[in-house]
């Protein structure tokens, strides 16, 4: 996907911008073409249809909605099944913050050509319950069940999320990471379509039919097994084969999004300065034929971004090491996505 640009002045705009920072144009994201158009309350004509600003624009949604969509909510917002009550503006502010991460996820799914069947079209289809622990009065468990992804909006509060990250010993914790992990659970069931696929999956991630409750108890009593780094991407991934798959799926999306962004912006690493042996000229590429080449480039690109972050006194952008077994798991996910893609 080319870097998003303003339809009026052609300058770069961020995926979550409502207004162009250069020329002040009102921006509306047209998800079928993955491009910005002008957002106009009177509607804009795109491919023979009128598109209007999403009804959730006051809450930061910059997507457009087609005239025939009915409810006045864009495709991304239409997938939200349960929300905090409208009478709770504090929860709705958090919803706006979570919406930024959710739309970024949606853009990537569309870009990858992954099938998105809404929950209201088919039992088990994709939907989101976006609820806040602070508003509900009881903890909201982040998770996935039968197509529905539940997100705790309270985690949009930096202090709360960061405290959880530290207490759980995680190298990083973000809203986008939550969305990418949970959608991994959804796509595991969608993209693995036959017994041969499940056998291949079990050979890499373990048998997902193992008791989840036992795994949960074991993980929170004893933690990750010693030496987990040699075959897992994170401590959480060691808990159960379902979690290993979802963690790897999230990382696959992280890696592809970051490489795509760097490549779309025209970034090229100098091979001599990056001190790497080159077998191709341009790192990162705009497309990769397989996961191995992608991960080879990622090693250098992530090292570069980690150096940049340290130059700013920040934590590493990508504080993970990918061992050979993790490469294999990411390769499996890469093949699943390519096979399931309609792009
Ligand atoms: Zn502009
Ligand atoms: Zn919307």
């Amino acid at each position: 996907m080319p870097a998003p640009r303003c339809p009026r002045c052609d300058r770069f705009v961020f995926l979550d911008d409502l207004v162009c920072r250069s020329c002040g144009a009102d921006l509306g994201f047209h998800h079928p073409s993955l491009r910005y158009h002008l957002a106009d309350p009177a509607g804009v004509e795109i491919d023979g249809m009128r598109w209007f600003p999403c009804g959730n624009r006051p809450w930061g949604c910059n997507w457009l909605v087609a005239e025939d969509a009915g409810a006045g909510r864009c495709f991304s917002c239409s997938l939200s099944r349960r929300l905090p009550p409208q009478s709770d503006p504090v929860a709705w502010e958090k919803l706006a913050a979570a919406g930024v991460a959710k739309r970024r996820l949606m853009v990537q799914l569309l870009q990858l050509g992954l099938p998105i069947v809404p929950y209201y079209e088919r039992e088990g289809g994709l939907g989101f319950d976006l609820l806040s622990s602070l508003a509900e009065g009881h903890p909201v468990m982040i998770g996935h069940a039968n197509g529905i992804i539940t997100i705790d909006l309270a985690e949009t509060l930096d202090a709360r999320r960061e405290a959880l990250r530290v207490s759980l010993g995680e190298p990083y914790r973000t809203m986008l990471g939550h969305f990418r992990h949970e959608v991994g659970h959804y796509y595991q069931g969608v993209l693995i379509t036959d017994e041969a696929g499940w056998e291949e999956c079990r050979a890499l991630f373990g048998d997902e039919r193992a008791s989840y409750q036992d795994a949960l108890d074991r993980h929170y009593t004893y933690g990750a097994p010693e030496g987990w780094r040699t075959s897992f991407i994170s401590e959480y991934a060691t808990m159960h084969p379902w979690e290993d798959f979802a963690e790897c799926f999230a990382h696959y999306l992280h890696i592809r999004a970051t490489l795509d962004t760097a490549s779309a912006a025209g970034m090229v690493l100098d091979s001599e300065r990056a001190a790497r042996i080159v077998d191709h000229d341009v790192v990162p590429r705009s497309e990769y034929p397989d996961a191995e080449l992608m991960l080879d480039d990622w090693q250098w690109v992530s090292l570069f971004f980690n150096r940049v972050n340290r130059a700013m006194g920040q934590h590493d952008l990508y504080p993970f090491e990918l061992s050979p077994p993790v490469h294999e798991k990411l390769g499996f996910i890469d093949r699943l996505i390519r096979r399931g893609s309609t792009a």
Side-chain angles (χ1 to χ4, degrees), residues 96-170:
V100 171
K102 174 164 167 261
R103 284 188 300 279
R104 187 169 283 275
L105 171 78
M106 297 302 298
V107 168
Q108 192 177 18
L109 300 180
L110 291 165
Q111 193 188 347
L112 291 171
L114 286 171
I116 303 169
V117 179
Y119 73 93
Y120 49 82
E121 282 180 12
R122 189 200 295 162
E123 167 73 17
L126 185 62
F128 296 86
D129 286 355
L130 306 173
L131 304 169
S132 172
S133 285
L134 298 172
E136 299 288 309
H138 58 82
V140 171
M141 298 304 288
I142 296 175
H144 165 268
N146 195 29
I148 301 296
I149 288 169
T150 301
I151 294 288
D152 182 7
L153 298 175
E155 278 215 30
T156 61
L157 295 170
D158 291 343
R160 188 181 175 102
R161 193 183 59 259
E162 186 62 9
L164 274 169
R165 183 188 74 76
V166 172
S167 73
L168 294 169
E170 295 173 342

Side-chain angles (χ1 to χ4, degrees), residues 8 93 289 337:
R8 187 196 279 161
E93 268 168 35
I337 289 178

Side-chain angles (χ1 to χ4, degrees), residues 195-249:
E195 200 47 36
W198 281 109
E199 283 307 321
E200 200 187 341
C201 186
R202 278 170 203 143
L204 290 166
F205 297 89
D207 195 334
E208 81 290 347
R209 294 165 296 193
S211 160
Y212 191 86
Q213 189 57 51
D214 290 354
L216 203 64
D217 294 343
R218 191 178 56 246
H219 185 73
Y220 288 108
T221 309
Y222 302 108
E226 215 170 306
W228 60 268
R229 278 189 177 81
T230 56
S231 40
F232 293 93
I233 201 154
S234 66
E235 290 191 60
Y236 192 60
T238 67
M239 187 172 95
H240 189 276
W242 289 124
E243 301 306 340
D244 192 10
F245 184 94
E247 283 287 89
C248 286
F249 195 93

